[in-house]
């Protein structure tokens, strides 16, 4: 998804970071038992023009308590940053800032509204 003012390089780097982090979470190679057991998906990464800061949006699959993982993610951020640095050839490894992605919850809420009996009655 192209955002205004976002260069193609930013988009490429952000998408590569998303793939690297998704692979790390898929492998579950964390010492923290809370993160090792959590099923996390990386939904989007937004990176600054200087490629030094990245906002990582994540969702916890099957659960709505993603905010509970923020302290654990902040704790493993240096490990994840090192994984990104090892996988990519950048001058600087970006600092990762994690945020809960609420778009999946919002989409589910809209879907429930569209399939509600009141909407079906209005359409029929």
């Amino acid at each position: 998804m192209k955002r205004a003012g976002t260069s193609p390089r930013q988009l490429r780097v952000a998408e590569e970071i998303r793939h690297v982090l998704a692979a790390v979470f898929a492998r579950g190679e964390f010492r923290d038992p809370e993160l090792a057991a959590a099923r996390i998906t990386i939904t989007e990464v937004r990176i600054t023009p200087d490629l030094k800061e990245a906002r990582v949006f994540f969702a916890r699959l099957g659960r709505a308590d993603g905010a509970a993982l923020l302290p654990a993610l902040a704790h493993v951020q240096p490990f994840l940053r090192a994984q990104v640095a090892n996988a990519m050839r950048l001058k600087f490894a970006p600092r990762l800032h994690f945020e809960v992605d609420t778009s999946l919850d919002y989409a589910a809420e809209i879907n429930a509204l569209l399939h509600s009996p009141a909407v079906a009655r209005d359409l029929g």
Side-chain angles (χ1 to χ4, degrees):
M1 172 167 98
K2 177 107 167 104
R3 293 178 306 277
T6 305
S7 73
R9 180 163 191 233
Q10 281 176 269
L11 294 173
R12 280 193 315 269
V13 170
E15 188 62 14
E16 184 64 27
I17 291 171
R18 189 182 74 77
H19 283 284
V20 169
L21 292 176
V24 171
F25 282 106
R27 289 190 304 265
E29 50 191 40
F30 299 103
R31 291 183 188 145
D32 185 332
E34 185 177 13
L35 285 177
R39 293 179 47 210
I40 296 173
T41 185
I42 305 301
T43 56
E44 183 181 3
V45 175
R46 295 181 188 165
I47 195 156
T48 57
D50 63 1
L51 306 179
K52 290 186 178 182
E53 304 279 333
R55 287 175 42 202
V56 179
F57 293 89
F58 73 95
R60 191 167 183 182
L61 297 176
R63 297 179 63 177
D65 62 344
L69 292 177
L70 285 172
L73 289 169
H75 181 69
V76 298
Q77 187 267 351
F79 167 74
L80 295 172
R81 187 177 181 192
Q83 295 296 307
V84 169
N86 288 338
M88 299 178 66
R89 293 170 43 171
L90 295 171
K91 188 172 185 177
F92 300 101
R95 284 186 291 280
L96 306 173
H97 305 282
F98 290 92
E99 294 184 30
V100 178
D101 188 350
T102 57
S103 65
L104 297 176
D105 296 331
Y106 183 69
E109 184 179 322
I110 296 298
N111 189 39
L113 284 173
L114 291 174
H115 289 90
S116 70
V119 172
R121 183 187 67 233
D122 290 344
L123 293 175

